[in-house]
Every structure is written in structure tokens, then in C-alpha cells.
Amino acid sequence: MTETFLCTLIVLLSGMMVVSCSEETVDSGKFQLYYSDVTDIGPSMSMTLYAPTYIGAKPYDFEITRVMLDGAAVQTESFGIDKETGAIIIANTSQLAIGNYALSVACKSAGKHYAFEDIVHVNMMRTVPEGIVATPNKIDVKYEDVLSKSISDLPTSAITTDGNHIHITKYVVANVRHEGELVENDELFAVSDAGVVSFGNKHQNLKPGKYVIDMKLTTAVVDAESTEGLFANAIEVNVASKPLSLAYDPNFSKVEQGTEEPTKTVIPVMVGSREGLKYSVKSVVPANAPVSIDATTGELTLAKNSLAVGTECKVAVTVTNAYGSTDFAQAYTFTIVPLIHAITKFAYEPTVELIEGAALTQKVKAIAGDEVKYSFKDLPTALVGKLNINAQTGEITADKGNGIAQGNYTINVVAENPKGSMTATFTLKVIKNKYLFTYVHWGNNIGLSPVRNYASQYRIKSAAPLVMKVQSTDIQSGVEAEYSIDTKNSSTTDVTIDSHTGEITFNKWQGGKVFMVLVVTTTGKGTSAEVTVKTPVFVHCSKAVKGVSVDYTPFVLQVNPRTGGISNAPTVSGGKQGKFLMDYRRSFNYYNIGGPASHVTGVLKGGVTNTFMYAMWKNYYGSAAVNAGARKPVSYYDNQGALNTTLCYVDATKDCAVQVNANKWIVDQEYANGVFIGQMTFTNDGNVGSVAKGSQIFPLAIWFDTNFK
């Protein structure tokens, strides 16, 4: 039997966000599959996306069942999938059409077949037009200057065109790589509206070495529409430094006297530029100790020797690069001992129980032997990257929200020293998290059915208190839940909630306005398996304003910001036929539910530049000055002939249905996951010039979530 689930945001105690996508499955179990968010690629790029995480039994036999390009099915060999792990393989993209690809994936789990529509999203971008350059495209800066100087005193690079045929309207730092590895651009670098790339507010967090910056640009060739493209390898920033630190972990080892085999160390971690990098032994005490070093990696080797028991062989290392040399005294110590005991005993608890999604710390139960190093042997694929081991202590850990599915796993750990090795085996038993749930719903009173397909929403027509009770939830019977209101991200504080039952009492009244209350539901509070779900609940105070009432049904428009959407037309009572006009005007509010911290809740206001709404206005205006007092980014009448440039608008040609444009509600490369409520004004005289000064209402809320269909 096929069952459909509504998308819901789950926040585990660890802070991991899990999104349950709408899915079709042959049974009604709790198996769920999760891929990362949208991935940007360019022509001729190849990559493998991370394998998905999941809840339930380990999935297998993956296949891609459908590929959609901007909503239409296409045939392409550019996307493949690892049948065992589910990792998406992207290759042969030189002829791949530009656009947004949505991949549907099917798999099996515990003998059952599951299908997930449009679960993987890939944005195939154009390369930027020829003639766009970064000047300079290479920046050299001393590490000490990065630490000590202000942004204004550090060098910059300007993204420009070499002629007048191309116009750049938007600049975004797309990717940052340090020595070839992708790193998060947490204000390390920034770009201005004029295309000047500079060091960011947290540039002191930069490390020595080479950074490569990719830029995402919105450009327009003369007489053509704007397009978005990737300017790969736009700028190279070389943060130059001599070797600053050298660390072997551990920085010591014991060596049995007279051992025949050479003793090798771990490869050290060096902080400093890697240009011309070379390691050498500065000194050894005692001088006759046969110590050598790998000049490329820094690995030390103590050869066969006749050193006396108790000798501490102390090694100083010199590290040289293109910017200088640094000596590191006592970088490593070999200690000669009479005997290294072989490993004769090694064990963990035979069965280790882990609650699904909870953290794990498991120590070695018994060990007898010296100089032991620990490692996994044949770790199950489903645990790779989720289960960790300390090579020095053997302690095994997993983070909260680790994504390890229910089931029994055989774990083999090897303990090894110069005398040999021993393997310990135990069973990791991952049990169901009884606190796990996906939704709470308060229903509606406006006849919307099926109820779960719509937001919790109530329309009231008077100033009496409104009581809303929980109508449905998948919290297990017998599990206690704690309910609270997130007042910071709600549009009113005139509301109370019973912390045990979830019963909401709404005490606010303002005619013609929609309010949103963000309810936080927590199960297993205080335990390692704690689960939290955030649910917006909406109330519309329906009342005629200047003799006119405007009622959208539903009055919450649920929109996927990737694809956009349109509301139903409202019922307008008291409006004059052919004379009623309405548009967005002012008081534009955004309330963050599940977006990143940079999507700051707040109202659009001049001088307040850190809010999500200000960033949206900035996206609209591009390189032009932001007018925070203007309605233009969401206005129908200010954009006739260019409605595709707006964020959203009240469509006068469709009886005031609200249209939300696709791929507009995105900041810091993260789509909106929250609620937008803005004031509309209307007139009954048919005069477009009267709309902006017309009667004021807030009749509609727009709820954004990338999992809405």
C-alpha cells in the first residue's frame, strides 16, 4: 500500500536538521532517505555527491528512476548512482543542458521497495561569458598582516569586464578551497555590490597556504536577459608564512631494546605555507641514534640500534619552505625500554546498545600490552564517517544525530603493537528512538482537507480568545512531550501554550491581519535522544477594513522556494467590480524556522542590514543602492513588464492571487525556510495611483520550505 508523508522539519539535540521528504513506499514504515541540498556545477565538471543518510534499515539496490530538467522529464547519461551506497555520480557534463535537475531515486530496505521523487537537486550553471576578469587574479599577503591588519589595509581584487558588452548585476562567493580542499567561507572573504573581492570580517581565521575562490555571477550581455554563471578559479590568494608549528600526535613512542625492525612515527601536521616545503633532522640526542626523516612528509624513522635501556632519543626537526625555516626542538622522543609486552588481552563489552540518533562513547573494556594502536577492521559501509575511533586509546565515539540506522552491526577493532596484533569484536545494537517523531498538527477551521496537507490555521472574526488543541501527531503513545512558544521567531507574544498538552490560547486581535506562532515540541528532553520539531501555527483575524474584507483560503501559501508557487485568489467582500486593486506595500517581516543563522528574523528597515529581508532587497537591487522603504521588489504595479524580476507579487490579472517567483528567496546560497508576512494596501476606486496609500491589511502568510511539492 502506498502512503504519502508531508514534509516536516526535525531538529535533533545535536542541532542536525533532518528533512522528511514526501515519499511513496510499499509499506507504512518509518524508513526515510536524506540527500544534501542543491549542488551547483558547471560544464565539464565531474564529482561524486555524498551518499545519503537514512532512518531505518540499511538501504541497498539504489537506482535513478527519473531525471527532470526544470519540470520536464529528460534522458541523460550524466547522472549515475552507486547501487550499494546511493552516492550520486556526475560525469560527462560538457553537453548537459543548463538548468535545475531533479533526480528521483528508488531503493530497497529490509526487503521493501521505496521511491523518492525529486530528492536530489543539481543546478547546472553556465560558465560566465568571455571578457570577465579578476584584477589581480593572484593576491599575495603575509600571514602576519592577515592577523594584524584591518580589512581596509589588506589587498583586494576587482571582478570586471574587458569591454562594454557585458554587465554584471550580482556577485556571490560560490566556493573557497584551501590547498585544494573545500572550506566553509565563514566571512573569510567577501564581495561588494561593485564586485570588489576583499578579506572578510573573520579573515583572522585564515590559515597559511593557498586559497582559490570561485565566483557566482549574474551577467547580461547587451540586448539579452540576465543569466547566472560560475567564474571558476577566479582568484588565488596566497597567505604566505614560514613554518609556524609542527605537531606529531603522539610525539613519543617506546622502542624495545635490540628490535630488528625500524620504528616509524606518524606523519606530522605543519602549519605554514607548503611552497618549497622540506623537512630535515636538526639534531638528535644522543648524536649516535640512527634517526632519519622523510624530507617530503616529515615521517621520522629510528633504525636498528644498540642504544641502552632508558635512553631518551630526542629529535629536533627543521622545517623549511619558500618563506623561511623554523627549528622545532624536541619535536619527537623515542624511549628505549627493556621489553614491549605483546598484546595478550583485548576486549570491548560484547554488546553495545545505542539509541538511534544519540551520541556514543565506548571505552576499551580490557587491554594488556604496550604501545598499542587501535583501528577499525572491515567497518560496515553504513558506519563509515559516522563511527570514530581514537587510535591512541581505542575509545569509540559517534556524534549526536549521527544517522546510524536501526539494526545490529558487527564491529571489529584491531589492537596492534610491534609484537603483533589482536582483534576484538562486539555487536553495536542500534535501537529505535522512542522519542523520534516528525509532526504535530493543530488542524484548521476553514474546511481544508486532507488536514495534513495544509498548515495549522484558524480564521477568527472577533476579539475572543481562541483555543487550539493538538489534532494529530506521530509522537508515540506513552511518550511525554513538552510544548513551548518560540517568541523570538513568532509574530506575536499574545499567546500561551500548555506545556503538557500543547493546547494554544491565542489572545491577539487585529482586524485584517494574519499572525504566526512558532511552536517548539520536544520529546526525551534532557536525554541524549532528545528530538525537537518546530511547527508554525497561523491565525487570521478576518474583519472588514473600510468596508472591504479580503479572505485567502487557505491563508497560508506553502511554497518551495526552488520552484515558486501561486495562491488561490481571495474572496473579496465589499470590493467594487473592476475597481478593486491591491498590491504589497510595507512592513515586510520574515520569521526564520529552519534556515541558517544568517537568515535573521526581523522586519525590513532602513539602516538594519543584517536581516533576511534586507538581504532579499539587496538581491533584487543588485549593484544598485538598496531602498529599504520601497515596495518595488514585491510590487506588481512597479514591475509591469518585468514581473519575473520580483520576489513575489499580487497578480492583478488573476484576481489578486499571490505569485511567488522561483529561485528568488535565497540568501548566502541557502533557500528560505521560514515565513514571510507583508502588508498589502488596496483601493476601491480603480486608480492605480491610489493603491500605495490605500487601506492596510496583512491577509496572507507565505511559508517557505524546500520540501514542499
Side-chain angles (χ1 to χ4, degrees):
M1 180 178 70
T2 298
E3 181 169 346
T4 301
F5 298 91
L6 185 67
C7 307
T8 305
L9 175 73
I10 307 171
V11 182
L12 297 178
L13 181 62
S14 64
M16 183 189 82
M17 291 195 304
V18 180
V19 180
S20 172
C21 297
S22 295
E23 61 187 62
E24 292 185 353
T25 172
V26 297
D27 82 332
S28 57
K30 295 296 183 183
F31 177 76
Q32 295 165 344
L33 194 68
Y34 312 107
Y35 280 91
S36 58
D37 208 346
V38 65
T39 300
D40 291 329
I41 63 172
S44 300
M45 289 180 66
S46 298
M47 67 175 67
T48 299
L49 306 186
Y50 293 115
T53 57
Y54 52 88
I55 292 178
K58 179 183 176 182
Y60 58 95
D61 200 12
F62 286 88
E63 62 176 329
I64 295 175
T65 58
R66 185 182 70 182
V67 178
M68 303 285 284
L69 171 58
D70 295 329
V74 294
Q75 297 293 325
T76 176
E77 296 182 357
S78 296
F79 301 106
I81 193 167
D82 187 304
K83 290 183 68 67
E84 180 181 351
T85 68
I88 302 296
I89 302 165
I90 303 173
N92 304 317
T93 60
S94 60
Q95 302 301 317
L96 194 62
I98 303 301
N100 292 297
Y101 289 83
L103 280 58
S104 297
V105 172
C107 65
K108 293 180 180 178
S109 175
K112 300 181 179 66
H113 183 269
Y114 295 83
F116 299 83
E117 288 188 2
D118 302 339
I119 192 172
V120 179
H121 295 269
V122 178
N123 181 25
M124 180 63 178
M125 300 179 63
R126 296 174 174 84
T127 56
V128 294
E130 292 185 5
I132 294 177
V133 295
T135 307
N137 63 353
K138 291 186 178 181
I139 294 175
D140 289 299
V141 60
K142 294 180 180 179
Y143 180 61
E144 51 263 38
D145 289 343
V146 169
L147 294 180
S148 62
K149 290 187 176 182
S150 64
I151 295 174
S152 60
D153 293 328
L154 292 170
T156 61
S157 176
I159 307 295
T160 59
T161 67
D162 63 2
N164 297 321
H165 65 296
I166 302 170
H167 178 56
I168 305 174
T169 60
K170 183 180 176 183
Y171 307 80
V172 175
V173 175
N175 303 306
V176 176
R177 296 184 297 280
H178 177 241
E179 299 294 352
E181 294 185 6
L182 191 67
V183 296
E184 182 180 359
N185 183 36
D186 184 15
E187 298 186 58
L188 301 177
F189 300 100
V191 61
S192 72
D193 292 340
V196 177
V197 179
S198 64
F199 288 83
N201 291 328
K202 297 181 181 178
H203 63 272
Q204 292 90 348
N205 293 338
L206 288 165
K207 298 177 181 179
K210 289 186 178 180
Y211 290 83
V212 175
I213 302 172
D214 300 331
M215 298 297 300
K216 185 187 292 187
L217 307 178
T218 302
T219 62
V221 180
V222 172
D223 297 327
E225 293 185 355
S226 295
T227 59
E228 195 173 56
L230 195 68
F231 187 6
N233 306 319
I235 303 167
E236 179 184 293
V237 179
N238 181 29
V239 180
S241 169
K242 69 177 184 178
L244 298 176
S245 66
L246 182 71
Y248 291 84
D249 186 17
N251 63 351
F252 63 91
S253 61
K254 295 178 181 178
V255 181
E256 185 174 304
Q257 184 185 37
T259 184
E260 296 289 329
E261 297 297 323
T263 301
K264 295 181 179 293
T265 69
V266 296
I267 293 175
V269 175
M270 189 279 302
V271 175
S273 294
R274 300 183 188 180
E275 296 172 80
L277 184 62
K278 183 180 180 181
Y279 297 88
S280 60
V281 173
K282 170 70 174 178
S283 64
V284 180
V285 178
N288 64 335
V291 175
S292 60
I293 193 168
D294 186 308
T296 302
T297 67
E299 180 186 60
L300 292 166
T301 301
L302 176 63
K304 179 181 177 181
N305 61 83
S306 57
L307 296 172
V309 170
T311 300
E312 289 189 341
C313 181
K314 298 181 179 180
V315 184
V317 174
T318 297
V319 184
T320 303
N321 65 15
Y323 304 99
S325 294
T326 305
D327 297 331
F328 298 95
Q330 296 188 23
Y332 199 90
T333 300
F334 297 96
T335 301
I336 308 301
V337 297
L339 178 67
I340 290 180
H341 292 92
I343 301 170
T344 58
K345 182 191 298 183
F346 175 41
Y348 290 88
E349 291 290 347
T351 300
V352 176
E353 198 169 84
L354 172 65
I355 297 175
E356 183 181 16
L360 171 71
T361 299
Q362 186 63 40
K363 298 180 182 296
V364 174
K365 181 180 180 181
I367 183 69
D370 299 329
E371 295 298 291
V372 180
K373 301 292 187 294
Y374 301 87
S375 62
F376 288 126
K377 178 183 179 182
D378 300 326
L379 186 67
T381 302
L383 303 183
V384 174
K386 300 174 182 178
L387 204 62
N388 309 297
I389 189 167
N390 185 308
Q392 310 307 319
T393 67
E395 182 176 88
I396 295 172
T397 59
D399 295 333
K400 295 174 183 176
N402 49 67
I404 300 176
Q406 295 175 42
N408 294 332
Y409 302 88
T410 299
I411 311 299
N412 298 306
V413 179
V414 176
E416 186 175 13
N417 73 2
K419 292 295 184 69
S421 64
M422 182 176 286
T423 300
T425 300
F426 68 92
T427 298
L428 177 64
K429 185 178 181 181
V430 182
I431 62 175
K432 182 178 181 179
N433 182 358
K434 67 178 182 179
Y435 301 118
L436 186 65
F437 71 107
T438 61
Y439 79 94
V440 183
H441 206 286
W442 280 261
N444 69 77
N445 69 346
I446 52 178
L448 300 174
S449 181
V451 173
R452 282 281 312 283
N453 286 1
Y454 298 90
S456 302
Q457 52 194 295
Y458 283 75
R459 178 171 285 139
I460 57 177
K461 296 182 179 293
S462 65
L466 169 67
V467 176
M468 296 171 282
K469 297 182 178 181
V470 173
Q471 300 297 311
S472 63
T473 180
D474 60 349
I475 297 174
Q476 291 185 42
S477 177
V479 172
E480 293 185 358
E482 180 176 298
Y483 299 88
S484 62
I485 303 295
D486 181 352
T487 55
K488 179 182 177 181
N489 293 299
S490 298
S491 66
T492 179
T493 57
D494 292 331
V495 61
T496 59
I497 192 167
D498 187 304
S499 62
H500 301 293
T501 67
E503 182 176 283
I504 301 170
T505 302
F506 184 84
N507 296 299
K508 183 74 173 179
W509 172 260
Q510 183 176 337
K513 187 167 185 176
V514 169
F515 293 91
M516 186 276 288
V517 176
L518 188 58
V519 180
V520 180
T521 308
T522 303
T523 55
K525 189 166 186 177
T527 72
S528 60
E530 178 178 315
V531 177
T532 294
V533 171
K534 296 182 179 181
T535 309
V537 179
F538 301 85
V539 177
H540 177 213
C541 300
S542 177
K543 180 184 178 182
V545 176
K546 297 294 180 67
V548 177
S549 62
V550 179
D551 292 338
Y552 286 88
T553 303
F555 58 85
V556 181
L557 173 58
Q558 296 168 225
V559 176
N560 185 327
R562 287 195 187 100
T563 58
I566 189 168
S567 74
N568 293 333
T571 298
V572 180
S573 301
K576 296 179 182 179
Q577 185 70 28
K579 299 287 187 179
F580 180 82
L581 306 175
M582 187 165 67
D583 200 2
Y584 274 113
R585 178 60 186 96
R586 60 176 71 84
S587 299
F588 302 115
N589 295 269
Y590 181 79
Y591 306 94
N592 190 7
I593 296 177
S598 60
H599 289 193
V600 177
T601 291
V603 64
L604 179 67
K605 185 185 299 183
V608 181
T609 61
N610 68 326
T611 64
F612 178 83
M613 287 312 307
Y614 185 88
M616 291 302 302
W617 253 237
K618 185 176 180 180
N619 285 351
Y620 175 86
Y621 282 104
S623 58
V626 175
N627 185 351
R631 68 178 182 177
K632 189 173 182 181
V634 292
S635 172
Y636 172 86
Y637 292 107
D638 289 353
N639 290 283
Q640 293 186 69
L643 290 171
N644 64 323
T645 66
T646 65
L647 309 176
C648 63
Y649 58 92
V650 180
D651 195 335
T653 68
K654 296 181 180 178
D655 298 323
C656 294
V658 172
Q659 173 70 53
V660 178
N661 282 329
N663 289 312
K664 296 292 186 181
W665 294 80
I666 182 170
V667 172
D668 295 333
Q669 302 179 62
E670 295 279 355
Y671 284 105
N673 190 320
V675 172
F676 167 74
I677 300 175
Q679 184 192 87
M680 299 179 190
T681 52
F682 66 83
T683 184
N684 234 347
D685 63 8
N687 183 0
V688 172
S690 301
V691 176
K693 297 180 180 179
S695 301
Q696 304 168 6
I697 56 175
F698 296 80
L700 183 75
I702 301 174
W703 178 11
F704 293 100
D705 192 311
T706 54
N707 298 288
F708 289 140
K709 294 296 184 182

